[in-house]
Amino acid sequence: MITLTNVSKTYSSEVRIGPVTLEIPRGGITALVGPNGAGKSTLLTMAGRLLGMDSGTIEVAGYDVASTKSRDLAKIVSILRQENHFITRLTVRQLVGFGRFPYSQGRLTTRDEEIISRYIDFLELRDLEGRYLDQLSGGQRQRAYVAMVLCQETDYVLLDEPLNNLDIARSVSMMRHLKKAATDLDRTIIVVLHDINFAAAYSDYICAMKDGAIARFGTPAEIMRPSVLTEIFDTDIQVIPGPDARPVAVYF
């Protein structure tokens, strides 16, 4: 599991995250939801050691994120942040290949190439693998970035808004791929989502944040209640039965 104990980050006297204490179970998908500025991305990037904590500890599978060697941590947890600044003249295959760096140190083996091909196929990128990143749509690039992170083959995968730049059809496709990765590949996926209905439909747990704190944590059934959602998002939200009796939030 991922364990956060008294984790805090202070940006200014008005902006502070935490202290947060939380246990995220191993397996499945946990969605981080909440209003803009709630601290979702900050919490995720601290868990992936892309951002330092001011206090507290974070452990992933028993490894202290702050003190574990980078090379060792990269075999346990992988992270995709919102802003990606890769050289645009990389091909899709070259980008996905970066996911093998903790193992290959840049010298790809036949086994690495097989793994790269597996995740290119998993994200349905075979027809695009020879294209450069600047020749792709935003949604195609996003799929390539996710393939790169999955190619790292860590048990824990952290994704910051992977539905950015995706239309409805591609968002559904992406969440289905992530659900398949969690189920078939036995990955633990922590994902920041803005759409509460995507979180309810595809996640096993929802962690709702507000004002830098954990407002609620539970299953979709426990979180998808009008009183809970209205409190978290500060707007009137109703919940109705959707397909397969799954709850759907209505907030128009």
Side-chain angles (χ1 to χ4, degrees):
M1 67 175 63
I2 298 178
T3 304
L4 299 90
T5 305
N6 294 322
V7 173
S8 67
K9 181 71 177 179
T10 300
Y11 291 102
S12 69
S13 57
E14 292 81 25
V15 182
R16 175 184 173 87
I17 307 301
V20 170
T21 295
L22 175 69
E23 288 188 354
I24 299 177
R26 193 199 183 297
I29 296 177
T30 296
L32 300 180
V33 304
N36 289 340
K40 306 180 295 295
S41 295
T42 296
L43 206 65
L44 193 83
T45 51
M46 286 193 294
R49 203 165 76 180
L50 295 183
L51 180 68
M53 299 168 279
D54 289 337
S55 64
T57 59
I58 299 177
E59 292 186 353
V60 179
Y63 291 84
D64 189 307
V65 167
S67 61
T68 301
K69 292 181 179 179
S70 295
R71 185 170 179 175
D72 295 332
L73 191 65
K75 296 178 181 179
I76 301 162
V77 58
S78 53
I79 181 168
L80 179 68
R81 62 191 310 168
Q82 287 185 51
E83 301 84 12
N84 300 294
H85 303 290
F86 285 91
I87 300 169
T88 55
R89 295 310 287 178
L90 287 174
T91 66
V92 168
R93 188 173 186 88
Q94 288 170 331
L95 175 70
V96 176
F98 273 112
R100 302 306 302 160
F101 189 83
Y103 309 92
S104 68
Q105 299 298 299
R107 297 181 293 275
L108 296 175
T109 65
T110 301
R111 175 63 175 156
D112 289 321
E113 295 289 358
E114 291 172 352
I115 294 172
I116 292 166
S117 294
R118 177 192 308 164
Y119 291 101
I120 284 174
D121 289 341
F122 190 83
L123 270 297
E124 300 175 358
L125 294 164
R126 176 62 64 186
D127 293 341
L128 302 173
E129 67 173 334
R131 289 196 194 178
Y132 292 104
L133 296 182
D134 60 1
Q135 296 175 326
L136 304 180
S137 69
Q140 290 169 335
R141 278 196 300 273
Q142 193 74 345
R143 279 191 289 148
Y145 292 135
V146 172
M148 175 192 66
V149 172
L150 291 179
C151 193
Q152 199 168 324
E153 295 207 310
T154 58
D155 287 339
Y156 294 84
V157 179
L158 313 180
L159 303 172
D160 194 359
E161 298 191 34
L163 304 188
N164 270 358
N165 301 312
L166 300 186
D167 59 23
I168 292 175
R170 289 301 182 187
S171 293
V172 170
S173 177
M174 176 65 77
M175 291 308 300
R176 286 176 176 170
H177 280 103
L178 295 179
K179 190 69 172 180
K180 183 176 175 66
T183 303
D184 295 355
L185 305 178
D186 194 28
R187 307 293 173 82
T188 301
I189 298 176
I190 319 300
V191 55
V192 174
L193 295 175
H194 273 297
D195 191 319
I196 186 64
N197 287 322
F198 272 108
Y202 293 99
S203 63
D204 299 280
Y205 301 96
I206 295 176
C207 177
M209 296 190 66
K210 184 177 181 180
D211 298 328
I214 305 298
R216 297 291 181 104
F217 184 91
T219 65
E222 293 170 327
I223 303 300
M224 293 294 286
R225 299 176 180 177
S227 59
V228 173
L229 296 181
T230 297
E231 176 188 348
I232 292 167
F233 292 99
D234 290 323
T235 191
D236 183 53
I237 298 178
Q238 300 301 312
V239 178
I240 61 174
D244 302 322
R246 291 182 298 188
V248 175
V250 180
Y251 43 86
F252 302 106

